[in-house]
């Protein structure tokens, strides 16, 4: 079975470099999808309170005979539960749904700067980590200005920032900020959310030359940039295809061809203005 390398975060904990995302998988399909992923060799599962499928993830964990310490579970605080006390309560609710005692990684899902609660929220994350209930604490969709505020007002630098990132929107400046501040980069929407990236002629050409699929080429690109990457699929063949990316390498010409795909355009919302809760 494919063995997935670990990356080390600024808190000393490690995270598998490839995981399985479950955004938009209905609750009643989630256990089967996660079980298929675990059987294929995935160990990191990326869910969120907002995905409304944490129970399905928990059912797959309970049904699996993989030791808990070999699994890596991420969930995210949903936007409506930001604030110190609400965060603590929402965390307990997630843990009950997931059926686990200690969470590997908890993320603030969106900064929502217009509501000005992410600093208080982060203080609750720090408490949960200090209490031993979460190994690593991180954020999602944060921009440098949000990190600067956390640094000025709180104590712990987030271990990771999960952001929209793929060859069409490679986040060059944000990645440089992460590197300068010891924050790991995790890519969401890594294969372009089924919105045309895999059909791009540059990606198709590299895939053909390498004898791999477009999804494998793009996922390999993430690995070679040092990102954690969490593709989603409910199709068992694609779930297996998306993990078979550790036995080939993209060379300089391949990377140059993939760089031409950059359009500078997001597929998802802009974190500075996204206000849904
Ligand atoms: P993705 O880029 O992983 O695309 C998933 C889609 O790609 C699938 O629905 C399917 O249509 C297609 N696909 C999957 N495998 C394929 C293959 N081998 N060949 C062809 N097509 C294939 O998009 P995503 O699900 O949005 O992102 C991945 C994960 O990132 C999510 O499941 C979730 O866990 C996380 N995420 C986080 C945020 C956030 O705000 N933090 C936002 C979106 C997603």
């Amino acid at each position: 079975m494919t063995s997935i390398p670990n990356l080390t975060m600024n808190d000393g904990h490690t995270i598998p470099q490839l995981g399985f995302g479950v955004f938009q998988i209905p609750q009643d399909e989630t256990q089967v999808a996660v079980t298929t992923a675990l059987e294929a060799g995935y160990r990191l599962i990326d869910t969120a309170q907002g995905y409304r499928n944490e129970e399905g993830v928990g059912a797959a964990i309970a049904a699996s005979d993989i030791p808990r310490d070999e699994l890596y579970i991420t969930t995210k605080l949903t936007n409506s539960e930001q604030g110190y006390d609400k965060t603590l309560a929402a965390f307990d609710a997630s843990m009950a749904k997931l059926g686990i005692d200690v969470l590997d990684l908890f993320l603030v899902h969106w900064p929502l700067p217009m509501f000005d609660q992410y600093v208080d929220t982060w203080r609750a994350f720090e408490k949960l980590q200090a209490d031993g209930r979460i190994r690593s604490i991180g954020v999602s969709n944060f921009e440098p200005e949000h990190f600067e505020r956390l640094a000025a007002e709180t104590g712990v630098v987030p271990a990771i920032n999960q952001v929209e990132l793929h060859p069409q929107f490679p986040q060059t400046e944000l990645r440089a900020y992460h590197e300068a501040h010891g924050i790991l980069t995790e890519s969401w929407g890594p294969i372009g959310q089924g919105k045309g990236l895999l059909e791009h002629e540059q990606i198709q050409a590299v895939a053909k030359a390498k004898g791999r699929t477009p999804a494998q080429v793009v996922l390999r690109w993430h690995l070679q940039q040092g990102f954690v990457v969490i593709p989603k699929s409910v199709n068992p063949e694609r779930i297996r295809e998306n993990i078979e990316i550790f036995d080939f390498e993209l060379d300089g010409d391949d990377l140059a061809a993939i760089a031409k795909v950059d359009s500078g355009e997001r597929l998802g919302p802009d974190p500075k203005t996204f206000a849904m809760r």
Side-chain angles (χ1 to χ4, degrees):
M1 187 180 286
T2 307
S3 120
I4 299 170
N6 285 319
L7 299 180
T8 302
M9 295 183 284
N10 62 18
D11 59 8
H13 290 298
T14 60
I15 181 168
Q17 197 179 0
L18 175 78
F20 183 65
V22 299
F23 178 44
Q24 290 178 327
I25 304 184
Q27 178 82 275
D28 59 356
E29 293 176 35
T30 301
Q31 182 179 350
V32 170
V34 172
T35 298
T36 303
L38 294 176
E39 286 170 0
Y42 295 78
R43 291 295 176 265
L44 187 177
I45 307 299
D46 183 272
T47 184
Q49 294 169 353
Y51 301 169
R52 300 180 187 281
N53 58 17
E54 288 174 310
E55 283 109 332
V57 173
I61 296 170
S64 166
D65 55 11
I66 299 168
R68 172 67 186 95
D69 64 0
E70 291 178 22
L71 298 174
Y72 192 98
I73 309 301
T74 303
T75 193
K76 312 182 192 83
L77 179 81
T78 206
N79 293 345
S80 62
E81 303 309 299
Q82 283 210 24
Y84 189 88
D85 292 333
K86 283 169 91 178
T87 296
L88 297 179
F91 173 79
D92 286 341
S94 272
M95 297 299 274
K97 289 176 184 167
L98 291 166
I100 56 177
D101 299 325
V102 178
L103 182 66
D104 297 287
L105 176 65
F106 200 30
L107 303 177
V108 182
H109 207 148
W110 290 88
L112 305 173
M114 61 295 295
F115 301 125
D116 196 21
Q117 288 181 305
Y118 67 83
V119 173
D120 282 346
T121 300
W122 188 249
R123 292 201 175 97
F125 273 53
E126 291 180 334
K127 174 186 165 43
L128 289 164
Q129 185 183 42
D131 289 349
R133 304 200 62 205
I134 311 174
R135 292 201 175 82
S136 295
I137 54 176
V139 294
S140 178
N141 302 301
F142 271 44
E143 296 284 324
E145 66 210 60
H146 310 128
F147 285 110
E148 294 295 321
R149 213 169 138 212
L150 288 187
E153 297 187 34
T154 72
V156 181
V157 177
I160 197 163
N161 189 17
Q162 184 184 113
V163 293
E164 178 181 345
L165 203 169
H166 42 76
Q168 273 175 351
F169 191 68
Q171 294 267 27
T172 312
E173 284 173 27
L174 187 58
R175 280 156 56 182
Y177 183 89
H178 290 167
E179 273 163 39
H181 293 83
I183 299 159
L184 201 60
T185 301
E186 182 170 26
S187 309
W188 69 250
I191 49 176
Q193 296 187 320
K195 297 176 182 168
L197 171 64
L198 302 182
E199 286 74 46
H200 196 291
E201 59 175 336
Q202 300 289 347
I203 303 293
Q204 293 269 337
V206 174
K208 199 169 171 208
K210 287 281 177 258
R212 310 300 296 228
T213 69
Q216 288 174 324
V217 163
V218 172
L219 291 168
R220 182 72 209 177
W221 176 86
H222 288 273
L223 292 187
Q224 290 186 211
Q225 318 283 316
F227 308 144
V228 178
V229 63
I230 45 169
K232 171 252 171 180
S233 176
V234 289
N235 174 321
E237 279 170 27
R238 286 175 166 179
I239 290 172
R240 289 189 283 273
E241 173 187 326
N242 293 347
I243 198 176
E244 296 301 328
I245 55 172
F246 296 95
D247 58 348
F248 75 107
E249 197 143 352
L250 300 170
D251 62 26
D253 290 344
D254 300 326
L255 296 172
I258 294 170
K260 292 187 188 146
V261 173
D262 181 359
S263 68
E265 283 169 29
R266 295 178 186 275
L267 298 172
D270 185 335
K272 290 192 174 94
T273 53
F274 185 62
M276 198 179 79
R277 62 175 183 175

